Amino acid sequence: RDKKAFIAGVADDQGFGWAIAKALAEAGCEISLGVWVPALNIFKTSFEKGKFDSSRKLSDGSLMQFAHIYPMDAVFDTMADVPEEVATNKRYAGNKAWTVSEVAESVKKDWGNVDILVHSLANGPEVVKPLLETSRKGYLAALSASSYSLISMVQRFGPLMNPGGSVISLTYNASNRIIPGYGGGMSSAKAALESDTRVLAYEAGRKYKVRVNTISAGPLGSRAAKAIGFIDDMIRYSYENAPVQKELAASEVGNVACFLLSPLASAVTGHVMFVDNGLNVMGLAT
Ligand code: NAI
């Protein structure tokens, strides 16, 4: 039986979510996506127009397929949480059932149980502000979108995961080390995500017999990273200082995700795995 993977946080072919989808597709998984509601239209249009065809190509020449593409907003758990201005926003009003609980229900109804759950999303409205200047609202928004969203997904998808299943998210070493410029509470959100990975590994491990890990990735020029503003400097810094001097490819993260999500990693859970050309082990920039 092909394994089924639900991936939240794909809205183009540039980020880690897409690369993970591709690695899983190469390994024979069926894939469904949860796409952020405001990004769904453009994603679907680009997809239908063939804009992603070259990056959809698998090694056997076929194109990666998605079983289902759902609108999703990981900041809301049920419709009761959605404020009026979001519910009536024209980008949301045309879509249905995009809260985390509703997406999980749709997946169960349309597709049945899943084996793999991928959380590849983050958002911090005040990311460009230093922590010292971050508002309470901005900080909580960063934690809501980037950390609680994982808890919510494991809560709602856990019951429809097959025993032996596996969950993965993406984190960043700003949780442990000071990365000036990674602000707005995003460093805090990643620290929470890593701690929650351990606690969820225990709780969901016992309850659903699934594993929960996170990948601490090096810098990649994705859409989200470009919004932070200094990604080119980070890529250059990593290139100059990491033990392995090359630019990180999204596919390298996709491959490690595929390993962690597979039975090859059946004894690995609660782990933060660095996929960063080794930058995190350096103590002194050279
Ligand atoms: P990306 O832009 O490809 O992915 C972020 C996705 O999150 C987008 O598709 C966006 O639509 C989605 N999203 C934002 N808010 C959402 C919400 N409320 N509900 C549902 N989806 C939402 O960028 P990237 O860089 O691939 O990000 C994926 C993960 O990798 C994030 O957790 C990010 O923090 C992490 N990461 C990125 C690094 C980088 O240098 N690009 C380094 C280390 C970690």
Side-chain angles (χ1 to χ4, degrees):
R1 181 180 66 79
D2 288 344
K3 294 217 161 136
K4 289 182 185 165
F6 178 80
I7 305 180
V10 173
D12 58 33
D13 59 355
Q14 299 297 305
F16 289 128
W18 179 276
I20 294 170
K22 211 159 164 203
L24 291 171
E26 285 283 6
C29 288
E30 283 180 52
I31 293 153
S32 287
L33 300 180
V35 179
W36 194 28
V37 189
L40 180 66
N41 251 343
I42 174 119
F43 177 74
K44 274 195 166 159
T45 310
S46 307
F47 187 84
E48 279 152 19
K49 282 193 179 149
K51 235 189 107 191
F52 304 136
D53 283 3
S54 59
S55 30
R56 281 173 65 201
K57 206 167 236 147
L58 301 173
S59 53
D60 67 0
S62 68
L63 295 185
M64 170 167 65
Q65 304 292 334
F66 301 121
H68 302 278
I69 298 176
Y70 298 98
M72 178 168 174
D73 194 325
V75 158
F76 303 107
D77 304 310
T78 68
M79 258 335 259
D81 303 326
V82 181
E84 183 67 20
E85 71 265 25
V86 175
T88 54
N89 178 301
K90 69 176 191 308
R91 290 200 289 183
Y92 282 75
N95 289 292
K96 282 203 307 270
W98 41 260
T99 66
V100 178
S101 63
E102 293 169 294
V103 176
E105 280 162 27
S106 303
V107 168
K108 183 161 180 64
K109 183 160 64 68
D110 301 342
W111 214 32
N113 285 5
V114 300
D115 304 283
I116 288 170
L117 187 62
V118 178
H119 174 287
S120 181
L121 61 100
N123 199 7
E126 298 184 12
V127 66
V128 297
K129 284 193 193 165
L131 190 60
L132 194 54
E133 290 164 25
T134 298
S135 71
R136 182 181 300 268
K137 195 168 169 226
Y139 181 91
L140 293 176
L143 270 284
S144 173
S146 315
S147 317
Y148 188 79
S149 53
L150 174 70
I151 300 174
S152 176
M153 281 178 64
V154 175
Q155 236 175 55
R156 310 289 178 164
F157 282 80
L160 46 135
M161 288 188 74
N162 290 316
S166 186
V167 180
I168 201 152
S169 68
L170 271 299
T171 187
Y172 181 49
N173 201 21
S175 56
N176 302 303
R177 305 272 176 242
I178 302 156
I179 310 282
Y182 196 75
M186 280 306 298
S187 55
S188 330
K190 292 308 193 189
L193 186 76
E194 291 172 23
S195 178
D196 298 342
T197 296
R198 292 183 282 272
V199 179
L200 291 172
Y202 167 65
E203 294 182 359
R206 293 292 174 91
K207 192 162 186 186
Y208 303 119
K209 298 190 165 40
V210 299
R211 295 179 293 106
V212 184
N213 292 292
T214 188
I215 290 178
S216 187
L220 173 80
S222 64
R223 188 189 299 198
K226 283 181 182 144
I228 305 173
F230 62 106
I231 188 67
D232 294 336
D233 294 337
M234 315 253 302
I235 292 171
R236 194 178 323 111
Y237 181 91
S238 177
Y239 189 93
E240 284 167 5
N241 295 297
V244 181
Q245 287 192 296
K246 63 170 176 57
E247 198 168 314
L248 179 76
S251 60
E252 294 176 294
V253 169
N255 289 338
V256 174
C258 193
F259 156 68
L260 285 172
L261 293 167
S262 82
L264 288 173
S266 55
V268 181
T269 194
H271 188 58
V272 181
M273 174 156 289
F274 284 94
V275 184
D276 67 343
N277 288 315
L279 184 64
N280 73 93
V281 300
M282 296 298 296
L284 185 66
T286 45

